[in-house]
Amino acid sequence: MPRPESASSSCAQLAAPLARWTQPASLIWPNGRFAGRLRYDAVVNGRMHVLSTWLLTTSNGQVAARIATLLGRQPHIDRAGPEQVYRVFSGHAELDVLLDGPHVIRLLMLRRNGSDVLRNCNGRVQRTLSGMQPCHCPPTLKGRWELAKAGAGCEPVVQVAVRLAADPTLGHFLLSSATWVFADHAIALKGALNRRIDMPVRARLLVDHTLHSTRSGTTFAFTRPTITVLPTA
């Protein structure tokens, strides 16, 4: 897979006006109810910060209290948004989770105009508000990355639903990432789960920090989630 790099958000075909062609969140958000979300970023003092440990968020106070008890932490209430959200900073870069099967991993390819989503595709079919049509994106992730780098392709969004191994009864937590490296990782992980017959599978989430250098010699930190399937006992 290519080195970590943000793909261009420009599109080969821009629709106007955007109000007519922007996709609703229901087409992008996965089906089902979630107990909360797993994040490795947070808004602090009005600015987005990348975290070195996992953050769990939920709108359910009882779920937040249980998570805090499991992790030995304190829940924090965030009232800045339209609804009250509880945040629990885990203090851990690693968390053990359960994966209920390959279906919990969802890869979307989105064509954007800034923060607006114009259409999504899977390499075979492209969905827009006007209906379905054949997708002209390359079938491989590397091919799509090369097209996006040229400013004419879609970008990935990976959604993974996991349950906390410490208390699976809490329900599913959604992890979302838009990096190409994690998209490649998720495809390999889904393939591994397709070969397993014992479900659920225990896995380990990691907030992975690595340093990369540009051709000019500039060094930058790159953060991404990784999921490692653990061996059976």
Side-chain angles (χ1 to χ4, degrees):
M1 197 54 209
R3 61 184 297 174
E5 177 174 344
S6 297
S8 171
S9 61
S10 59
C11 303
Q13 303 173 4
L14 297 181
L18 290 178
R20 290 184 54 196
W21 298 104
T22 299
Q23 291 203 17
S26 60
L27 293 182
I28 302 169
W29 192 258
N31 295 325
R33 297 178 62 87
F34 294 92
R37 298 190 66 181
L38 273 160
R39 308 179 63 98
Y40 54 100
D41 60 5
V43 176
V44 180
N45 296 326
R47 298 183 62 182
M48 183 65 72
H49 290 263
V50 176
L51 305 175
S52 59
T53 59
W54 288 106
L55 165 66
L56 294 94
T57 64
T58 179
S59 59
N60 188 311
Q62 292 182 332
V63 171
R66 177 58 178 157
I67 294 171
T69 298
L70 292 171
L71 299 174
R73 313 290 288 187
Q74 291 292 327
H76 301 271
I77 302 177
D78 183 0
R79 298 185 175 90
E83 65 176 11
Q84 181 171 280
V85 175
Y86 298 88
R87 304 195 299 177
V88 181
F89 292 89
S90 72
H92 298 281
E94 295 182 352
L95 287 177
D96 284 3
V97 298
L98 298 180
L99 302 172
D100 291 332
H103 64 279
V104 302
I105 302 173
R106 186 180 188 222
L107 171 61
L108 298 173
M109 299 299 299
L110 307 180
R111 188 172 296 236
R112 300 176 183 269
N113 180 55
S115 61
D116 295 308
V117 176
L118 306 179
R119 54 186 64 92
N120 68 65
C121 68
N122 59 11
R124 298 181 302 277
V125 177
Q126 185 178 94
R127 175 183 291 181
T128 69
L129 285 183
S130 59
M132 311 282 278
Q133 62 186 27
C135 177
H136 301 291
C137 293
T140 65
L141 190 67
K142 183 177 180 180
R144 297 179 202 175
W145 176 82
E146 291 172 343
L147 191 64
K149 187 179 180 182
C154 301
E155 302 169 303
V157 171
V158 180
Q159 298 165 339
V160 185
V162 305
R163 291 185 293 146
L164 299 180
D167 189 349
T169 64
L170 287 175
H172 288 90
F173 291 79
L174 183 66
L175 166 64
S176 181
S177 175
T179 69
W180 287 95
V181 175
F182 187 64
D184 187 51
H185 178 69
I187 291 173
L189 177 63
K190 191 165 187 173
L193 292 179
N194 274 318
R195 296 188 292 270
R196 296 285 293 263
I197 59 174
D198 52 325
M199 296 294 170
V201 171
R202 193 180 183 97
R204 184 159 294 157
L205 290 183
L206 170 67
V207 180
D208 184 27
H209 294 276
T210 55
L211 296 179
H212 296 270
S213 298
T214 64
R215 293 178 180 177
S216 62
T218 301
T219 301
F220 65 96
F222 179 71
T223 302
R224 68 182 177 105
T226 63
I227 305 176
T228 304
V229 173
L230 299 177
T232 56

